[in-house]
Amino acid sequence: MPKRKRNIHLICNAHLDPVWLWEWQEGAAEAISTFRTAAQLCEDDEAFVFNHNEVTLYKWVQEYEPALFARIRKLVERGQWHIMGGWYLQPDCNMPSGESFVRQILLGKSYFKEHFGVECRTAINFDPFGHTRGLVQILAKSGYDSYLFGRPDQNDCPLPSDEFVWVGYDGSQVMATRFKGWYNSPLGKARVKIEQWMRDVPDMSPGLVLWGVGNHGGGASRRDLRDVNKLIAATSDSAILHSTPEAYFKELSRQRSSLPRHEKDLNPWAVGCYTSQVRVKQKQRALENELYSLEKMASAAWANGLMPYPEEEIHEALCDLMTGQFHDILPGSSIQPVEEASLRMLDHGLEIAARAKARAFFALASGQKKPKDGETPILVYNPHPFKVTQLLECEFNLPDFSGPDVFHDVHVYHKGRKLPCQVEQELSNLPVDWRKRVVFAASLEPGVMNRFDCRLELRNAKPKPRLKSRRGMFVFQTKDLEVLINKKTGLVDRYRVRGVDFVGRGAFEPLVIEDDADPWGMTTQSYRTVVGRFRLMDSRAGSRFSGLRDSEIDSVRVVEDGPARTVVEAVFSYGSSFICQQYKLPKTGTEIAVQTRVYWNEKQRMLKLSVPTAARRSKYIGQVAYGVADLPDNGNEAVAQKWVAVVDEEAR
């Protein structure tokens, strides 16, 4: 029996980063140019199929050249233009939250369903720098059965096969393929790439080859399409097809039972991206948090008939968030003008969210009882479906201001019960007793507006801290917690909870690590070479840093101390850089907070915070998209979401 021909699926595409080494206006122009060329080639050659993804680019064409958009819709109906992937764009696939990945898919699928009547079954992320395992259950539960990706390669992420079944945390599965070669081909070299692929993997069946000029767009050229068609006609031992990712995976699915299983993430690659352009990362996470809390508050207010749901505003801000997660924006691998534009865009989303959130807050706060004379109410909404117990911080104004020789203390009550509370330094720098910052311990009921009432007590002065140093140590103790802060180093020498030590001596030390100007870190997996350490400033230097000219203060000192918590501050320096570090120690509970404010002026250097643990047999874990993952504990870089943890398996 003659050997059956293998099918080689050609996926013509034009990988086009909306921004990268260029700004979005150039990306939009290139998208329109690339789509024009692709549409013309499809209209001239009925066998040719062009594949493209990303809502962002289609929206540009829809806005700036609607006639071209109409042509593309007709080509989609004819099956010559394939909507590929179906996401809003190709985001970074490690740093966004699980909810953000869901929104990338929902916004993408709804757009392509509305305008083209299609829904994709194969997700694609050709260019991102790694892929969290949490994606699997998101893909499977969003209607995808397969995933096509490029990075990381075998050197960084060894796989038993480039074709495998990817298994998620919850047991969900999708077929996955790491394509060989790359997603593009040089201009005029498409046939050369395909022929080389056929020589390199003569037995791979079905085959998959991506071609088309990419990175800055381009796609298929008339010359390349002519050369590829000639190769198709001249090849007898394989059937070379103008195809789609879905067609390839449909054929591969016949081998699904024999494919190996992969039950881990697909990492790492370019680990330097996790710390590049940190402001973009901070704004992205802030907008995530604000949007998702806004949705909960607005839903509650709408369900109670208090306000219309701000759907259009949330959608606009969500589009800002989705774009900010693009795989050359969020990782910090774009040029500075892109960084600046991205910060403006994320701020735009934050402003929209802030205004809508304020409207929802005031709606939910309606109907509150009038406060008693001399009382100031504080209203706190808990958007979570569970009770939250924590320290709360809030600022408000007194009815009028007094001179610096008067101090109004604040007592916080909840349903008539006084809570542990204290007044701390407000943000204002006016030397009058007017603006108040109150910190208090409270439990917040879920899904409702929690009310607390503040009452004033007139004093001659703010109470002085009671915690004093002993034998060169600040010793902070409660019935559950003991913390020792070394006055000579400014570091934590003990963090003990109910008799169990959690850290070693010298914890929370800022270390200076050797780095370079490469924002990617493509060829490394760790940054471990310590070239310096921040040291506690002497009292003279620390006082100058703190803004004092004619007096001196200790460089490790108690700055706040009351019924709710104690705050110890230490100031450090290295080279031309400075750090103000605060240790916030609660009077109830065991969770301490370390706030590190950095004034960074070093070149070719990275800052790390050293936390030696007291665990004897531990593992390092962290939150990832809809899951918890084991992270490397050998010093390699890793990315997690909102928390990481060192778990001592012997001390459970």
Side-chain angles (χ1 to χ4, degrees), residues 514-529:
E514 183 178 349
D515 196 5
D516 55 39
D518 175 18
W520 306 74
M522 297 183 188
T523 59
T524 186
Q525 292 190 5
S526 66
Y527 299 91
R528 300 289 290 171
T529 304

Side-chain angles (χ1 to χ4, degrees), residues 337-359:
V338 170
E339 177 192 18
E340 294 168 352
S342 300
L343 290 170
R344 292 197 303 271
M345 177 186 64
L346 292 168
D347 277 332
H348 175 259
L350 284 165
E351 181 63 21
I352 292 174
R355 296 185 182 196
K357 194 173 181 180
R359 196 158 65 249

Side-chain angles (χ1 to χ4, degrees), residues 158-219:
L159 296 172
S161 169
D162 285 332
E163 299 81 34
F164 57 94
V165 174
W166 197 13
V167 183
Y169 293 111
D170 68 339
S172 298
Q173 300 179 13
V174 295
M175 288 186 297
T177 291
R178 178 172 60 189
F179 52 80
K180 292 177 172 61
W182 203 230
Y183 49 67
N184 60 359
S185 55
L187 182 62
K189 301 293 184 180
R191 176 170 180 168
V192 173
K193 176 181 179 176
I194 298 166
E195 290 175 325
Q196 183 62 52
W197 183 95
M198 294 169 68
R199 289 191 292 271
D200 290 342
V201 283
D203 299 321
M204 182 179 176
S205 180
L208 177 77
V209 185
L210 278 65
W211 71 281
V213 179
N215 278 335
H216 194 255

